[in-house]
Amino acid sequence: MQLKNLINGRSRREHIVGALRESIYSGYLPPGSKLVESQLASQFKTSRTPIREAILQLESEGIIKILPNKGAVVNVFSIDEIE
């Protein structure tokens, strides 16, 4: 039973990462947009834990930044970084 929950937890996190990544790449979440854990948890109908995990993964990919005392925001890329 624990293994099933672990698999479901990973699937949920991966789903959230994919959805957030697509929202950012499509421009639905433009550069500088703040990602609020409680709002995202409500939107995805999940707890904040998979949201936090997804945010940390996207930060490691450089897609978002976590700013002290401000939270997570969509990264703003320069023209050089895009090229």
Side-chain angles (χ1 to χ4, degrees):
M1 191 106 137
Q2 245 181 353
L3 181 59
K4 183 178 179 184
N5 291 336
L6 181 63
I7 291 169
N8 288 339
R10 286 186 181 165
S11 298
R12 187 176 304 126
R13 178 186 51 81
E14 290 168 3
H15 170 75
I16 294 166
V17 167
L20 289 175
R21 188 183 292 123
E22 179 61 32
S23 294
I24 292 166
Y25 288 161
S26 70
Y28 182 77
L29 289 173
S33 295
K34 187 172 181 179
L35 302 176
V36 180
E37 288 180 10
S38 59
Q39 290 174 351
L40 291 171
S42 177
Q43 179 182 344
F44 286 103
K45 295 178 177 52
T46 189
S47 69
R48 291 172 58 177
T49 300
I51 301 297
R52 284 188 200 113
E53 292 171 351
I55 286 172
L56 289 173
Q57 181 173 337
L58 292 171
E59 180 192 31
S60 73
E61 295 174 13
I63 297 171
I64 65 168
K65 284 186 180 180
I66 298 177
L67 304 174
N69 301 318
K70 296 200 182 228
V73 295
V74 177
N75 203 357
V76 178
F77 295 100
S78 69
I79 298 295
D80 293 332
E81 291 173 319
I82 293 171
E83 291 175 351

Coordinates of all heavy atoms in Angstrom, one line a residue:
M1 N 0.8 -1.2 0.0 CA 0.0 0.0 0.0 C 0.9 1.3 0.0 O 0.6 2.2 -0.7 CB -0.9 0.0 1.2 CG -2.0 1.0 1.1 SD -3.5 0.3 0.7 CE -4.5 1.2 1.8
Q2 N 2.0 1.3 0.8 CA 2.9 2.4 0.8 C 3.5 2.6 -0.6 O 3.6 3.8 -1.0 CB 4.0 2.2 1.8 CG 3.9 3.2 2.9 CD 5.0 3.0 3.9 OE1 5.8 2.0 3.8 NE2 5.1 3.8 4.8
L3 N 3.9 1.6 -1.3 CA 4.4 1.7 -2.6 C 3.5 2.4 -3.6 O 3.9 3.2 -4.3 CB 4.9 0.4 -3.1 CG 5.5 0.3 -4.5 CD1 6.8 1.2 -4.5 CD2 5.9 -1.1 -4.9
K4 N 2.2 2.0 -3.5 CA 1.2 2.6 -4.3 C 1.1 4.1 -4.1 O 1.0 4.9 -5.0 CB -0.2 2.0 -4.1 CG -1.3 2.5 -5.0 CD -2.6 1.8 -4.7 CE -3.7 2.3 -5.6 NZ -5.0 1.7 -5.4
N5 N 1.1 4.5 -2.8 CA 1.1 6.0 -2.5 C 2.3 6.7 -3.0 O 2.2 7.8 -3.5 CB 0.9 6.2 -1.0 CG -0.4 5.8 -0.5 OD1 -1.4 5.7 -1.2 ND2 -0.5 5.4 0.8
L6 N 3.4 6.0 -2.9 CA 4.7 6.6 -3.4 C 4.6 6.8 -4.9 O 4.9 7.9 -5.5 CB 5.9 5.7 -3.1 CG 7.2 6.2 -3.5 CD1 7.6 7.6 -2.8 CD2 8.3 5.2 -3.2
I7 N 4.1 5.8 -5.6 CA 3.9 6.0 -7.1 C 2.9 7.1 -7.4 O 3.2 7.9 -8.3 CB 3.5 4.6 -7.7 CG1 4.7 3.6 -7.6 CG2 3.1 4.7 -9.2 CD1 4.3 2.2 -7.9
N8 N 1.8 7.1 -6.7 CA 0.8 8.1 -7.0 C 1.4 9.5 -6.6 O 1.1 10.5 -7.3 CB -0.4 7.9 -6.1 CG -1.3 6.7 -6.7 OD1 -1.1 6.4 -7.8 ND2 -2.1 6.2 -5.8
G9 N 2.2 9.6 -5.6 CA 2.8 10.9 -5.2 C 3.8 11.4 -6.3 O 3.8 12.5 -6.7
R10 N 4.6 10.5 -6.8 CA 5.5 10.9 -7.9 C 4.7 11.2 -9.2 O 5.0 12.2 -9.8 CB 6.4 9.7 -8.2 CG 7.5 9.6 -7.2 CD 8.5 8.5 -7.5 NE 9.5 8.4 -6.5 CZ 10.3 7.4 -6.4 NH1 10.3 6.4 -7.3 NH2 11.2 7.4 -5.4
S11 N 3.7 10.5 -9.5 CA 2.8 10.8 -10.6 C 2.2 12.2 -10.5 O 2.2 13.0 -11.4 CB 1.7 9.8 -10.8 OG 2.3 8.5 -11.1
R12 N 1.7 12.5 -9.3 CA 1.1 13.8 -9.0 C 2.1 14.9 -9.2 O 1.9 15.9 -9.9 CB 0.5 13.8 -7.6 CG -0.3 15.0 -7.3 CD -0.9 15.0 -6.0 NE -1.7 13.8 -5.8 CZ -1.6 12.9 -4.8 NH1 -0.7 13.1 -3.9 NH2 -2.4 11.8 -4.8
R13 N 3.3 14.7 -8.6 CA 4.4 15.8 -8.8 C 4.8 15.9 -10.2 O 4.9 17.1 -10.7 CB 5.6 15.4 -7.9 CG 6.7 16.4 -8.1 CD 8.0 15.9 -7.4 NE 8.4 14.6 -7.7 CZ 9.1 14.3 -8.8 NH1 9.5 15.2 -9.7 NH2 9.5 13.0 -9.0
E14 N 4.9 14.8 -10.9 CA 5.3 14.9 -12.3 C 4.2 15.6 -13.2 O 4.6 16.4 -14.1 CB 5.6 13.5 -12.9 CG 6.9 12.9 -12.3 CD 7.1 11.5 -12.6 OE1 6.3 10.9 -13.3 OE2 8.1 10.9 -12.1
H15 N 3.0 15.3 -12.8 CA 1.9 16.0 -13.5 C 1.9 17.5 -13.3 O 1.8 18.3 -14.2 CB 0.6 15.4 -13.1 CG -0.6 16.2 -13.5 ND1 -1.1 16.1 -14.8 CD2 -1.4 17.0 -12.9 CE1 -2.1 16.9 -15.0 NE2 -2.4 17.5 -13.8
I16 N 2.2 17.9 -12.1 CA 2.2 19.3 -11.7 C 3.4 20.0 -12.4 O 3.3 21.1 -12.9 CB 2.3 19.5 -10.2 CG1 0.9 19.0 -9.6 CG2 2.5 20.9 -9.8 CD1 0.9 18.8 -8.1
V17 N 4.6 19.3 -12.4 CA 5.7 19.9 -13.0 C 5.4 20.1 -14.5 O 5.7 21.2 -15.1 CB 7.0 18.9 -12.9 CG1 8.1 19.4 -13.8 CG2 7.5 19.0 -11.4
G18 N 4.9 19.1 -15.2 CA 4.5 19.2 -16.6 C 3.6 20.3 -16.9 O 3.7 21.1 -17.8
A19 N 2.5 20.4 -16.0 CA 1.5 21.5 -16.2 C 2.1 22.9 -16.0 O 1.8 23.8 -16.8 CB 0.3 21.2 -15.3
L20 N 2.9 23.0 -15.0 CA 3.5 24.3 -14.7 C 4.5 24.7 -15.8 O 4.5 25.8 -16.3 CB 4.2 24.4 -13.4 CG 3.3 24.4 -12.1 CD1 4.1 24.2 -10.9 CD2 2.4 25.6 -12.1
R21 N 5.3 23.7 -16.2 CA 6.3 24.0 -17.3 C 5.5 24.4 -18.6 O 5.9 25.4 -19.2 CB 7.1 22.7 -17.6 CG 8.2 22.9 -18.5 CD 9.0 21.6 -18.8 NE 9.7 21.2 -17.7 CZ 9.6 20.0 -17.1 NH1 8.7 19.1 -17.6 NH2 10.3 19.6 -16.1
E22 N 4.5 23.7 -18.9 CA 3.7 24.1 -20.1 C 3.1 25.5 -20.0 O 3.1 26.3 -20.9 CB 2.6 23.1 -20.4 CG 1.7 23.4 -21.6 CD 2.5 23.4 -22.9 OE1 3.5 22.7 -23.1 OE2 2.1 24.2 -23.8
S23 N 2.6 25.8 -18.8 CA 2.0 27.1 -18.6 C 3.0 28.2 -18.7 O 2.7 29.3 -19.2 CB 1.4 27.2 -17.2 OG 0.3 26.3 -17.1
I24 N 4.2 28.0 -18.3 CA 5.3 28.9 -18.4 C 5.8 29.1 -19.8 O 5.9 30.2 -20.4 CB 6.5 28.6 -17.5 CG1 6.1 28.7 -16.0 CG2 7.7 29.4 -17.8 CD1 7.0 28.0 -15.0
Y25 N 6.0 28.0 -20.5 CA 6.5 28.0 -21.9 C 5.4 28.6 -22.9 O 5.8 29.3 -23.8 CB 6.8 26.6 -22.4 CG 8.1 26.1 -21.8 CD1 8.4 24.7 -21.8 CD2 9.1 26.9 -21.2 CE1 9.6 24.2 -21.3 CE2 10.2 26.4 -20.7 CZ 10.5 25.0 -20.7 OH 11.6 24.5 -20.2
S26 N 4.1 28.4 -22.6 CA 3.1 28.9 -23.4 C 2.8 30.4 -23.2 O 2.1 31.0 -24.0 CB 1.8 28.1 -23.2 OG 1.2 28.4 -22.0
G27 N 3.3 30.9 -22.1 CA 3.1 32.3 -21.8 C 1.9 32.6 -20.8 O 1.6 33.7 -20.5
Y28 N 1.2 31.5 -20.5 CA 0.1 31.7 -19.6 C 0.6 32.2 -18.2 O -0.1 33.0 -17.6 CB -0.6 30.3 -19.4 CG -1.8 30.4 -18.5 CD1 -3.0 31.0 -18.9 CD2 -1.8 29.9 -17.2 CE1 -4.1 31.1 -18.1 CE2 -2.9 30.0 -16.3 CZ -4.0 30.6 -16.8 OH -5.1 30.7 -16.0
L29 N 1.8 31.7 -17.8 CA 2.4 32.3 -16.6 C 3.7 33.1 -17.1 O 4.7 32.5 -17.4 CB 2.9 31.2 -15.7 CG 1.8 30.5 -14.9 CD1 2.4 29.3 -14.1 CD2 1.1 31.4 -13.9
P30 N 3.5 34.4 -17.3 CA 4.6 35.1 -17.9 C 5.8 35.3 -17.0 O 5.6 35.1 -15.7 CB 3.9 36.5 -18.3 CG 2.8 36.6 -17.4 CD 2.3 35.2 -17.1
P31 N 6.9 35.7 -17.5 CA 8.1 36.0 -16.6 C 7.7 37.0 -15.5 O 7.1 37.9 -15.7 CB 9.1 36.6 -17.6 CG 8.7 36.0 -18.9 CD 7.2 35.9 -18.9
G32 N 8.2 36.6 -14.3 CA 8.0 37.5 -13.2 C 6.7 37.1 -12.4 O 6.5 37.6 -11.3
S33 N 5.9 36.2 -12.9 CA 4.7 35.8 -12.2 C 5.0 35.0 -10.9 O 5.9 34.2 -10.9 CB 3.9 34.8 -13.1 OG 3.4 35.4 -14.2
K34 N 4.3 35.3 -9.9 CA 4.5 34.7 -8.6 C 3.7 33.4 -8.6 O 2.6 33.3 -9.0 CB 4.1 35.6 -7.5 CG 4.4 35.1 -6.1 CD 4.1 36.1 -5.0 CE 4.5 35.5 -3.7 NZ 4.3 36.4 -2.6
L35 N 4.4 32.3 -8.0 CA 3.7 31.0 -7.9 C 3.4 30.9 -6.4 O 4.3 30.7 -5.6 CB 4.6 29.9 -8.3 CG 5.1 30.0 -9.8 CD1 6.1 28.9 -10.1 CD2 4.0 29.9 -10.7
V36 N 2.1 30.9 -6.1 CA 1.6 30.8 -4.7 C 1.2 29.4 -4.4 O 0.3 28.9 -5.0 CB 0.5 31.8 -4.4 CG1 0.0 31.7 -3.0 CG2 0.9 33.2 -4.8
E37 N 1.9 28.7 -3.5 CA 1.7 27.3 -3.2 C 0.3 27.0 -2.9 O -0.3 26.1 -3.4 CB 2.6 26.9 -2.0 CG 4.0 26.7 -2.4 CD 4.9 26.3 -1.2 OE1 4.3 25.9 -0.1 OE2 6.1 26.3 -1.3
S38 N -0.4 27.8 -2.0 CA -1.7 27.5 -1.6 C -2.7 27.6 -2.8 O -3.6 26.8 -2.9 CB -2.2 28.5 -0.5 OG -2.1 29.8 -0.9
Q39 N -2.5 28.6 -3.7 CA -3.4 28.7 -4.8 C -3.2 27.5 -5.8 O -4.1 27.0 -6.3 CB -3.1 30.0 -5.6 CG -3.6 31.2 -4.8 CD -3.2 32.5 -5.5 OE1 -2.4 32.5 -6.4 NE2 -3.7 33.6 -5.0
L40 N -1.9 27.1 -6.0 CA -1.6 26.0 -6.9 C -2.2 24.7 -6.3 O -2.7 23.9 -7.0 CB -0.1 25.9 -7.1 CG 0.5 27.0 -7.9 CD1 2.0 26.9 -7.9 CD2 0.0 27.0 -9.4
A41 N -2.0 24.5 -5.0 CA -2.6 23.3 -4.3 C -4.1 23.3 -4.5 O -4.6 22.2 -4.8 CB -2.2 23.3 -2.9
S42 N -4.8 24.4 -4.4 CA -6.2 24.4 -4.6 C -6.5 24.1 -6.1 O -7.4 23.3 -6.4 CB -6.7 25.8 -4.2 OG -8.1 25.9 -4.5
Q43 N -5.8 24.7 -7.0 CA -6.0 24.5 -8.4 C -5.8 23.1 -8.9 O -6.6 22.5 -9.6 CB -5.0 25.4 -9.2 CG -5.2 25.3 -10.7 CD -4.1 26.1 -11.5 OE1 -3.5 27.0 -10.9 NE2 -3.9 25.9 -12.7
F44 N -4.8 22.4 -8.3 CA -4.5 21.0 -8.7 C -5.2 20.0 -7.7 O -5.0 18.8 -7.9 CB -3.0 20.8 -8.6 CG -2.2 21.4 -9.8 CD1 -1.5 22.6 -9.7 CD2 -2.3 20.8 -11.1 CE1 -0.9 23.1 -10.8 CE2 -1.6 21.3 -12.1 CZ -0.9 22.5 -12.0
K45 N -5.9 20.5 -6.8 CA -6.7 19.7 -5.8 C -5.7 18.7 -5.1 O -5.9 17.5 -5.2 CB -7.8 19.0 -6.5 CG -8.9 19.9 -7.0 CD -10.0 19.2 -7.7 CE -11.1 20.1 -8.2 NZ -10.8 21.2 -8.9
T46 N -4.7 19.2 -4.5 CA -3.7 18.4 -3.9 C -3.2 19.2 -2.7 O -3.5 20.3 -2.4 CB -2.5 18.0 -4.8 OG1 -1.7 17.1 -4.2 CG2 -1.7 19.2 -5.2
S47 N -2.3 18.5 -1.9 CA -1.6 19.2 -0.8 C -0.5 20.1 -1.3 O -0.1 20.0 -2.5 CB -1.1 18.2 0.2 OG 0.0 17.5 -0.3
R48 N 0.1 20.8 -0.4 CA 1.2 21.7 -0.8 C 2.5 21.0 -1.0 O 3.4 21.5 -1.7 CB 1.4 22.8 0.2 CG 0.2 23.8 0.2 CD 0.2 24.8 1.3 NE 1.4 25.6 1.3 CZ 1.6 26.6 2.1 NH1 0.7 26.9 3.1 NH2 2.7 27.3 2.1
T49 N 2.6 19.7 -0.5 CA 3.9 19.0 -0.6 C 4.2 18.7 -2.1 O 5.4 19.1 -2.5 CB 3.8 17.7 0.2 OG1 3.6 18.0 1.6 CG2 5.1 16.9 0.0
P50 N 3.4 18.2 -2.9 CA 3.8 18.0 -4.3 C 4.0 19.3 -5.1 O 4.8 19.4 -6.0 CB 2.6 17.2 -4.9 CG 1.6 17.1 -3.9 CD 2.1 17.6 -2.6
I51 N 3.3 20.4 -4.6 CA 3.6 21.7 -5.2 C 5.0 22.1 -4.9 O 5.7 22.6 -5.8 CB 2.5 22.7 -4.7 CG1 1.1 22.3 -5.0 CG2 2.9 24.1 -5.2 CD1 0.8 22.2 -6.5
R52 N 5.4 22.0 -3.6 CA 6.7 22.4 -3.2 C 7.8 21.6 -4.0 O 8.8 22.1 -4.4 CB 6.9 22.2 -1.7 CG 6.3 23.2 -0.9 CD 6.7 23.0 0.6 NE 5.7 23.7 1.4 CZ 4.9 23.1 2.3 NH1 4.9 21.8 2.4 NH2 4.0 23.7 3.0
E53 N 7.5 20.3 -4.1 CA 8.5 19.4 -4.8 C 8.6 19.8 -6.3 O 9.7 19.9 -6.9 CB 8.0 18.0 -4.7 CG 8.1 17.4 -3.4 CD 7.5 16.0 -3.2 OE1 6.8 15.6 -4.2 OE2 7.7 15.4 -2.2
A54 N 7.4 20.2 -6.9 CA 7.5 20.6 -8.3 C 8.2 21.9 -8.5 O 9.0 22.1 -9.4 CB 6.0 20.8 -8.8
I55 N 8.0 22.8 -7.5 CA 8.7 24.1 -7.6 C 10.2 23.9 -7.4 O 11.0 24.6 -8.2 CB 8.1 25.1 -6.5 CG1 6.7 25.6 -6.9 CG2 9.0 26.3 -6.2 CD1 6.0 26.4 -5.8
L56 N 10.6 23.1 -6.5 CA 12.0 22.8 -6.4 C 12.6 22.2 -7.6 O 13.8 22.5 -8.0 CB 12.3 21.9 -5.2 CG 12.0 22.5 -3.8 CD1 12.2 21.5 -2.7 CD2 13.0 23.7 -3.6
Q57 N 11.9 21.3 -8.3 CA 12.4 20.7 -9.5 C 12.5 21.8 -10.6 O 13.5 21.8 -11.3 CB 11.5 19.6 -10.0 CG 12.0 18.9 -11.3 CD 11.2 17.7 -11.7 OE1 10.6 17.1 -10.9 NE2 11.3 17.4 -13.0
L58 N 11.5 22.6 -10.8 CA 11.6 23.7 -11.8 C 12.7 24.7 -11.5 O 13.3 25.2 -12.4 CB 10.2 24.4 -11.9 CG 9.1 23.5 -12.5 CD1 7.7 24.1 -12.4 CD2 9.4 23.1 -13.9
E59 N 12.9 24.9 -10.2 CA 14.0 25.8 -9.8 C 15.4 25.2 -10.3 O 16.2 25.9 -10.8 CB 14.1 26.1 -8.3 CG 15.2 27.0 -8.0 CD 15.4 27.1 -6.5 OE1 15.2 26.1 -5.7 OE2 15.9 28.2 -6.0
S60 N 15.5 23.9 -10.1 CA 16.8 23.2 -10.4 C 17.0 23.2 -11.9 O 18.1 23.2 -12.4 CB 16.8 21.8 -9.9 OG 15.9 20.9 -10.6
E61 N 15.9 23.3 -12.7 CA 16.0 23.4 -14.2 C 16.2 24.9 -14.6 O 16.4 25.1 -15.8 CB 14.7 22.9 -14.8 CG 14.5 21.4 -14.5 CD 13.1 20.9 -15.0 OE1 12.4 21.6 -15.8 OE2 12.8 19.8 -14.7
G62 N 16.1 25.8 -13.7 CA 16.3 27.2 -14.1 C 15.1 27.9 -14.6 O 15.1 29.0 -15.1
I63 N 13.9 27.3 -14.5 CA 12.7 27.8 -15.1 C 12.1 28.8 -14.1 O 11.5 29.8 -14.6 CB 11.7 26.7 -15.4 CG1 12.3 25.8 -16.5 CG2 10.3 27.2 -15.9 CD1 11.5 24.5 -16.8
I64 N 12.2 28.6 -12.8 CA 11.7 29.6 -11.9 C 12.8 29.9 -10.9 O 13.8 29.2 -10.8 CB 10.5 29.0 -11.1 CG1 10.8 27.8 -10.3 CG2 9.3 28.7 -12.0 CD1 9.8 27.4 -9.3
K65 N 12.6 30.9 -10.1 CA 13.6 31.3 -9.1 C 12.8 31.4 -7.7 O 11.6 31.8 -7.7 CB 14.2 32.7 -9.3 CG 15.2 32.8 -10.4 CD 15.8 34.2 -10.4 CE 16.9 34.2 -11.5 NZ 17.5 35.6 -11.6
I66 N 13.5 31.0 -6.7 CA 12.9 31.2 -5.3 C 13.6 32.3 -4.7 O 14.8 32.3 -4.5 CB 13.0 29.9 -4.5 CG1 12.3 28.7 -5.2 CG2 12.5 30.1 -3.1 CD1 12.3 27.4 -4.5
L67 N 12.9 33.4 -4.5 CA 13.4 34.6 -3.9 C 13.2 34.7 -2.4 O 12.0 34.4 -2.0 CB 12.8 35.8 -4.6 CG 13.0 35.9 -6.1 CD1 12.2 37.1 -6.7 CD2 14.4 36.0 -6.5
P68 N 14.2 35.0 -1.6 CA 14.0 35.1 -0.2 C 12.9 36.1 0.2 O 12.8 37.2 -0.4 CB 15.4 35.6 0.4 CG 16.3 35.3 -0.7 CD 15.6 35.3 -2.0
N69 N 12.0 35.7 1.1 CA 10.9 36.5 1.6 C 9.9 36.9 0.5 O 9.0 37.7 0.7 CB 11.4 37.8 2.3 CG 12.3 37.5 3.4 OD1 12.1 36.6 4.2 ND2 13.4 38.2 3.5
K70 N 10.0 36.3 -0.7 CA 9.0 36.6 -1.7 C 8.4 35.3 -2.3 O 7.3 35.4 -2.8 CB 9.7 37.4 -2.9 CG 10.2 38.7 -2.4 CD 10.4 39.7 -3.6 CE 10.9 41.0 -3.0 NZ 10.2 42.1 -3.5
G71 N 9.1 34.2 -2.3 CA 8.6 33.0 -2.8 C 9.1 32.7 -4.2 O 10.1 33.2 -4.6
A72 N 8.3 31.8 -4.9 CA 8.8 31.4 -6.2 C 8.2 32.3 -7.3 O 7.0 32.7 -7.3 CB 8.3 30.0 -6.5
V73 N 9.0 32.6 -8.3 CA 8.5 33.4 -9.4 C 9.1 32.8 -10.7 O 10.1 32.2 -10.7 CB 9.0 34.9 -9.3 CG1 8.3 35.6 -8.2 CG2 10.5 35.1 -9.3
V74 N 8.4 33.0 -11.8 CA 8.8 32.6 -13.1 C 10.1 33.4 -13.5 O 10.1 34.6 -13.4 CB 7.7 32.7 -14.2 CG1 8.2 32.3 -15.5 CG2 6.5 31.9 -13.8
N75 N 11.1 32.7 -13.9 CA 12.4 33.3 -14.2 C 12.2 34.2 -15.4 O 11.5 34.0 -16.4 CB 13.4 32.2 -14.6 CG 14.8 32.7 -14.4 OD1 15.1 33.9 -14.1 ND2 15.8 31.8 -14.6
V76 N 12.9 35.4 -15.4 CA 13.0 36.3 -16.5 C 14.3 36.0 -17.2 O 15.3 36.1 -16.7 CB 12.9 37.8 -16.0 CG1 13.0 38.7 -17.1 CG2 11.6 38.0 -15.2
F77 N 14.1 35.7 -18.5 CA 15.3 35.4 -19.3 C 15.7 36.5 -20.2 O 14.8 37.2 -20.7 CB 15.1 34.1 -20.2 CG 14.8 32.9 -19.4 CD1 13.6 32.4 -19.2 CD2 15.9 32.2 -18.9 CE1 13.4 31.2 -18.5 CE2 15.7 31.0 -18.2 CZ 14.5 30.5 -18.0
S78 N 17.0 36.8 -20.4 CA 17.5 37.8 -21.3 C 17.5 37.2 -22.7 O 17.4 36.0 -22.9 CB 18.9 38.2 -20.9 OG 19.8 37.2 -21.1
I79 N 17.6 38.0 -23.7 CA 17.7 37.6 -25.1 C 18.9 36.6 -25.2 O 18.7 35.6 -25.9 CB 17.9 38.8 -26.0 CG1 16.6 39.7 -25.9 CG2 18.1 38.3 -27.5 CD1 15.3 39.1 -26.4
D80 N 20.0 36.9 -24.6 CA 21.2 36.0 -24.7 C 20.9 34.6 -24.2 O 21.3 33.6 -24.7 CB 22.4 36.6 -24.0 CG 22.9 37.9 -24.7 OD1 22.7 38.0 -25.9 OD2 23.5 38.7 -24.0
E81 N 20.2 34.6 -23.0 CA 19.9 33.3 -22.4 C 18.9 32.5 -23.3 O 19.0 31.3 -23.4 CB 19.3 33.5 -21.0 CG 20.2 34.0 -20.0 CD 19.6 34.4 -18.7 OE1 18.5 35.0 -18.7 OE2 20.2 34.1 -17.7
I82 N 18.0 33.2 -23.9 CA 17.0 32.5 -24.8 C 17.7 31.9 -26.0 O 17.4 30.8 -26.4 CB 15.9 33.4 -25.2 CG1 15.1 33.8 -24.0 CG2 15.0 32.8 -26.3 CD1 14.1 34.9 -24.2
E83 N 18.7 32.6 -26.6 CA 19.4 32.2 -27.8 C 20.3 31.0 -27.4 O 20.5 30.1 -28.0 CB 20.2 33.3 -28.4 CG 19.3 34.3 -29.0 CD 20.2 35.5 -29.5 OE1 21.4 35.6 -29.3 OE2 19.6 36.4 -30.2

